[in-house]
Amino acid sequence: MATVFPRDRFASLLGEGATPGSFSARRTARPDDLRLEVTGVGPITLPVPVRQAKALCLIGRPARFGKGEQTLMDARVRDTWEVPKSRVKIDKRQWNATLRHALERLRADLGLPEGCELTAEFHAMLVYAPGQFFAPHQDSEKADAMIGTLVVTLPSAATGGVLVVEHAGQTATYRSSKESLSFVAFYADCRHHVRPVTSGYRVVLTYNLLLKGDPVAAAAGLTDPGLTTELAVCLNQHFGHSEEPARLVYLLDHEYTQRGLGWARLKGDDASRVALVRAAALAADCEVALALAEVHEQWSAEDAVPSGRYWDGDDDDETEEDGDYELQELIESTTSLDCWLDEGDEATPISLIVYDDEVCATTPTADLSPHASSYEGYMGNYGNTLERWYRRAAIVVWPRRWAFAIRAQASPGWALDRLADLVRAGDVAEARDAATMLASFWGVVAKANAEQLLGKALAVAHDLDEPGISAMLLAPFQIEMLDRSHAAALARVAVHYGDSWTRELVGVWFGRDRPAYLALQPQPQRAVWLESLPAVCDALREAPEAGVPVGRLVSAAAWTPLRESVDRTLRFPAPSHRHAVLGGLGSAVAGLLLSTVSLAAADLRDEMVAFLRSDNDDLLVCAMSALRAAHTVSRDTRRAAGLDVVSRHCAARLAARLARPIRSADDWSIELPEGCHCELCQTLDSFLADKARRSFEWPLAEQRRRHVHARIDQHELPVRHQTRRSGRPYTLVLAKTEALFAREREARQRDQTDLVWLGRTFDAR
């Protein structure tokens, strides 16, 4: 027997207890209840004759449609005529009474409780000629109170033009009448389309449906006390006695925008279900919030025979049709919340991934229409997959005892603000207790918005006056997030907790327990930060508390991984890679050297300068790049940073290289870099060192050829290697190339250019 989880029972009870209602509904009225006149056409006769319909088309304009923030016109998506609103005049004396009566009946049909009122705001007059249509789409919310659309179809002899409305796997089809006015109302998130008109003309008036009143409050008075008790029991069972923050996320049936989300703007069954959840949460000592959720599903799928469509062309606003694929198995499902609101009406941005065992729904997500989808065909390593994204509203419930932790998971910035408020109010002990609740998840949630949180976290860490909790709050951050605006707060917290605590924190920020930040290539974020380090150190020096020791600690901590990165790069065999990486590190090296000036960190400066003056020509690339990065600073600063010493060293090395004799035209010798000393490499070294010998034919088995190939390619030697596939073993043919001379000419030209630049910029000779 399958286990029924409390959350699934909770969703089932809500499905049974919701107020009955539909996503769309239809009512009719007599045609003489509407007196309508259009400027340029005159009073409209009902049923609409073909003659007048054609006249309406002549004064109409191609209808546009919304896509995100854009308003577009594309006859492949929407092909209909729109009569300017200013030309349409309706006699409201009798029409308003008819409209109010229809809206009251439609309100009940749509599941909205008594005490709420639907009103209609005229939007447009549309005319569909033979063959015209509107492809599947959703209506945008054109006003804060808008929850749906009303389509009033005028009677005519038209055929086709059927309005199809879909929601949660259900479809409703509405045909126009030849004698009566037809009122069709549906919620704004319902996907709908108009099939092509086959004959005659379809004329409609469209309205925005606005909701007055609070459907949740109205539904609250109708809740069943027994059902509320059962739901409260489910909540208590779901949360149990968990020692970790826990929540329940119940997905509602309708889709809302952030603008349209509100307790008083819930649609249909959502309102009655939310009323039940709020009542149950109160009984179970829980809190609730209304949220927007995005559900991402990945399915395995197979191609299906494409179904026929009744319009032509592509529709970029349309998601993939389910009929194009056959879903197999759900591979993965992820639910995230991106905003919520409490009892007020202002939505707060959040960022929260919720786990599968926290989520439940009465209507499965797969029954809804996806907001977007992406189909990936067979790729060789894995089969066809279909990804779909859905937007749903949700009501989030959590035990009151976990209120701070739950809100902190959703909004770490709010959590830091709340801790600061408690400290300011003198409730330091309560602030510490609240901060302790963050320990199990803070490292994950704080990283998502870490750059915006560091300043707040430093201030709170100081005021909590508890080293362990403060270290936990600051641990998720990285050194690259530290800028001059944080200098005073960092100095203050360092003085407060002492040198040992600060060293531990800085080590965590530098990723001491993770792989070195620069392996074979620099991380751009760290390199950029090192360029800005002088400004950070200047701010630390000016901090009202002892910021200089903190700056020295940070700079020294930065040098260790930077030097390790340079050392690793120097050992890389390919010269082009070594030079690219070392050149890219120049700005970082310059930034670190310049930071020693404001801190008077002579020991670190001298260590770096001594390293750059090593007898390794490859380091010239890094040193020259650093000099170029720092050439705009003042002479005094360059001297204080040791850059003048580096410049003289570079000039001397460049001059020495230029003093070497130019390779003669008959000297084809090549030096094999250090590495392997096997008998193959010894033979290769002999060939390369021979000044006169340009080619070498060498019978070798495959594995031995590969070793020679690797040695040549790894070090980018100017030697062409090919295999002549005749005889046994095959023959490896080596040939020295003219690149040997070209590279040396280019190197001498670079050295000459660099030496001239040093003399002009640094007066280095």
Side-chain angles (χ1 to χ4, degrees):
M1 183 175 180
T3 302
V4 178
F5 294 103
R7 67 179 185 276
D8 295 330
R9 173 67 174 154
F10 186 82
S12 178
L13 289 170
L14 287 172
E16 297 168 3
T19 302
S22 179
F23 58 90
S24 65
R26 179 177 184 266
R27 294 288 176 171
T28 60
R30 298 176 306 171
D32 52 2
D33 288 346
L34 174 63
R35 294 181 181 177
L36 176 68
E37 184 174 342
V38 176
T39 304
V41 178
I44 302 301
T45 304
L46 299 180
V48 181
V50 171
R51 171 185 53 81
Q52 282 196 322
K54 289 181 177 180
L56 291 172
C57 292
L58 291 175
I59 64 170
R61 59 192 177 196
R64 298 172 180 267
F65 62 96
K67 182 178 181 180
E69 299 297 321
Q70 298 177 295
T71 301
L72 307 175
M73 184 170 65
D74 187 342
R76 297 172 300 174
V77 177
R78 188 180 193 186
D79 186 10
T80 184
W81 299 103
E82 180 176 345
V83 176
K85 185 177 176 179
S86 59
R87 287 177 173 263
V88 181
K89 296 180 175 57
I90 299 174
D91 186 343
K92 297 181 179 179
R93 287 173 296 181
Q94 186 171 352
W95 176 242
N96 282 356
T98 299
L99 189 58
R100 278 195 300 270
H101 178 68
L103 290 173
E104 176 58 21
R105 298 172 73 186
L106 290 168
R107 174 200 61 75
D109 296 339
L110 293 174
L112 294 168
E114 293 185 13
C116 296
E117 179 186 357
L118 281 179
T119 62
E121 178 183 77
F122 181 60
H123 178 251
M125 182 181 198
L126 303 173
V127 183
Y128 290 81
Q132 290 189 311
F133 63 92
F134 198 168
H137 64 286
Q138 289 174 248
D139 289 339
S140 58
E141 294 165 342
K142 304 172 184 67
D144 288 346
M146 179 178 169
I147 65 164
T149 297
L150 174 67
V151 178
V152 180
T153 306
L154 309 188
S156 73
T159 60
V162 174
L163 173 62
V164 181
V165 185
E166 304 170 357
H167 181 69
Q170 301 180 59
T171 301
T173 302
Y174 300 102
R175 302 178 184 278
S176 56
S177 169
K178 290 181 171 56
E179 294 85 20
S180 302
L181 292 168
S182 173
F183 298 76
V184 176
F186 51 89
Y187 288 114
D189 63 312
C190 291
R191 197 166 174 78
H192 56 284
H193 60 272
V194 178
R195 293 176 180 167
V197 172
T198 53
S199 67
Y201 291 80
R202 177 179 184 264
V203 184
V204 301
L205 306 177
T206 63
Y207 291 80
N208 301 326
L209 279 181
L210 311 180
L211 178 64
K212 290 184 178 180
D214 187 337
V216 175
L222 306 175
T223 56
D224 178 359
L227 179 57
T228 299
T229 300
E230 286 191 73
L231 290 167
V233 169
C234 291
L235 289 175
N236 287 326
Q237 291 174 341
H238 175 75
F239 296 123
H241 301 286
S242 171
E243 296 300 320
E244 298 292 338
R247 65 180 72 78
L248 180 67
V249 178
Y250 175 74
L251 299 175
L252 301 172
D253 282 1
H254 287 279
E255 179 183 323
Y256 302 81
T257 63
Q258 184 169 336
R259 176 186 182 184
L261 184 69
W263 298 100
R265 293 193 290 277
L266 294 177
K267 304 164 184 172
D269 293 348
D270 287 355
S272 58
R273 290 173 182 170
V274 166
L276 284 167
V277 174
R278 289 173 77 173
L282 181 63
D285 195 28
C286 292
E287 296 183 358
V288 298
L290 197 59
L292 290 183
E294 180 173 89
V295 181
H296 172 220
E297 292 185 345
Q298 184 181 55
W299 293 78
S300 60
E302 291 184 358
D303 293 317
V305 177
S307 58
R309 295 183 181 177
Y310 45 81
W311 66 87
D312 193 17
D314 297 324
D315 175 12
D316 292 338
D317 196 40
E318 180 188 358
T319 60
E320 303 285 0
E321 292 292 316
D322 283 347
D324 293 343
Y325 319 105
E326 293 181 2
L327 298 184
Q328 302 297 307
E329 294 182 0
L330 180 63
I331 301 171
E332 184 181 17
S333 176
T334 305
T335 302
S336 59
L337 308 180
D338 57 22
C339 79
W340 71 12
L341 63 155
D342 295 335
E343 296 302 317
D345 280 328
E346 184 173 351
T348 302
I350 62 173
S351 178
L352 183 64
I353 301 293
V354 292
Y355 300 107
D356 290 345
D357 60 3
E358 298 177 305
V359 180
C360 63
T362 300
T363 302
T365 296
D367 288 352
L368 304 178
S369 297
H371 168 71
S373 63
S374 174
Y375 180 70
E376 187 74 58
Y378 180 73
M379 298 296 290
N381 294 327
Y382 55 89
N384 304 341
T385 57
L386 177 65
E387 293 189 80
R388 302 197 293 189
W389 291 265
Y390 302 83
R391 292 176 178 170
R392 302 185 70 168
I395 185 162
V396 188
V397 188
W398 60 84
R400 198 175 303 276
R401 68 182 183 276
W402 287 115
F404 176 78
I406 293 296
R407 293 175 184 275
Q409 282 182 306
S411 178
W414 172 89
L416 293 173
D417 289 339
R418 177 60 179 156
L419 293 175
D421 290 342
L422 288 171
V423 171
R424 278 193 293 269
D427 297 329
V428 178
E430 184 179 348
R432 291 175 184 162
D433 290 342
T436 302
M437 295 183 188
L438 307 177
S440 64
F441 58 83
W442 185 250
V444 174
V445 301
K447 283 182 180 178
N449 302 286
E451 293 189 19
Q452 292 77 41
L453 299 178
L454 179 54
K456 290 182 179 181
L458 285 166
V460 170
H462 174 275
D463 295 343
L464 286 175
D465 195 27
E466 208 294 321
I469 297 176
S470 298
M472 178 272 295
L473 284 179
L474 294 174
F477 302 100
Q478 298 175 357
I479 195 64
E480 293 89 349
M481 299 166 190
L482 183 69
D483 62 38
R484 61 177 301 121
S485 68
H486 304 128
L490 176 59
R492 187 165 171 251
V493 77
V495 169
H496 189 67
Y497 291 118
D499 181 72
S500 178
W501 183 93
T502 306
R503 285 182 181 278
E504 184 71 20
L505 175 66
V506 170
V508 171
W509 282 2
F510 270 100
R512 180 187 56 207
D513 298 328
R514 297 189 294 271
Y517 77 94
L518 292 175
L520 296 178
Q521 294 185 8
Q523 290 183 352
Q525 187 181 18
R526 179 68 61 87
V528 170
W529 176 79
L530 284 169
E531 292 178 44
S532 70
L533 186 56
V536 176
C537 291
D538 286 344
L540 283 168
R541 184 192 61 205
E542 298 164 3
E545 300 189 55
V548 169
V550 178
R552 289 177 178 171
L553 178 60
V554 170
S555 295
W559 171 234
T560 300
L562 183 56
R563 176 170 180 165
E564 290 174 354
S565 176
V566 173
D567 284 337
R568 279 192 302 273
T569 303
L570 290 172
R571 294 194 294 270
F572 201 85
S576 63
H577 182 87
R578 289 199 305 271
H579 295 170
V581 174
L582 292 170
L585 289 173
S587 296
V589 170
L592 191 51
L593 271 174
L594 292 171
S595 74
T596 66
V597 177
S598 58
L599 303 172
D603 290 347
L604 176 58
R605 176 202 63 198
D606 293 346
E607 181 181 347
M608 293 183 65
V609 169
F611 178 76
L612 292 173
R613 295 177 67 203
S614 302
D615 291 333
N616 187 321
D617 280 350
D618 281 335
L619 270 179
L620 277 176
V621 177
C622 185
M624 286 299 302
S625 176
L627 292 171
R628 291 184 185 278
H631 80 279
T632 57
V633 301
S634 69
R635 287 180 177 269
D636 288 342
T637 301
R638 294 196 309 236
R639 186 179 304 109
L643 290 167
D644 57 337
V645 177
V646 175
S647 69
R648 289 194 295 272
H649 166 76
C650 290
R653 296 287 295 184
L654 291 170
R657 293 204 311 202
L658 289 168
R660 297 171 188 166
I662 297 175
R663 178 185 291 270
S664 63
D666 59 354
D667 181 2
W668 289 88
S669 62
I670 301 171
E671 183 180 355
L672 180 65
E674 286 295 323
C676 178
H677 297 286
C678 70
E679 52 93 8
L680 288 174
C681 289
Q682 292 177 25
T683 302
L684 175 63
D685 190 25
S686 297
F687 163 65
L688 294 175
D690 193 319
K691 294 183 178 182
R693 195 173 185 185
R694 295 185 56 182
S695 63
F696 178 31
E697 296 190 2
W698 193 359
L700 286 176
E702 181 180 6
Q703 293 300 324
R704 292 162 68 81
R705 291 198 308 272
R706 285 183 179 178
H707 181 70
V708 177
H709 290 173
R711 288 284 280 158
I712 293 171
D713 292 342
Q714 286 174 354
H715 296 285
E716 300 175 340
L717 301 179
V719 177
R720 183 173 59 253
H721 52 84
Q722 296 176 319
T723 300
R724 187 167 65 233
R725 300 181 181 276
S726 62
R728 289 296 183 198
Y730 291 163
T731 300
L732 177 63
V733 180
L734 304 180
K736 299 172 184 177
T737 69
E738 292 287 346
L740 172 63
F741 300 94
R743 291 178 186 179
E744 292 204 4
R745 287 193 299 271
E746 292 168 3
R748 291 184 69 86
Q749 181 61 49
R750 282 194 302 269
D751 287 352
Q752 185 64 48
T753 301
D754 288 344
L755 188 59
V756 170
W757 181 83
L758 284 172
R760 184 175 63 247
T761 308
F762 283 84
D763 195 26
R765 296 180 176 84

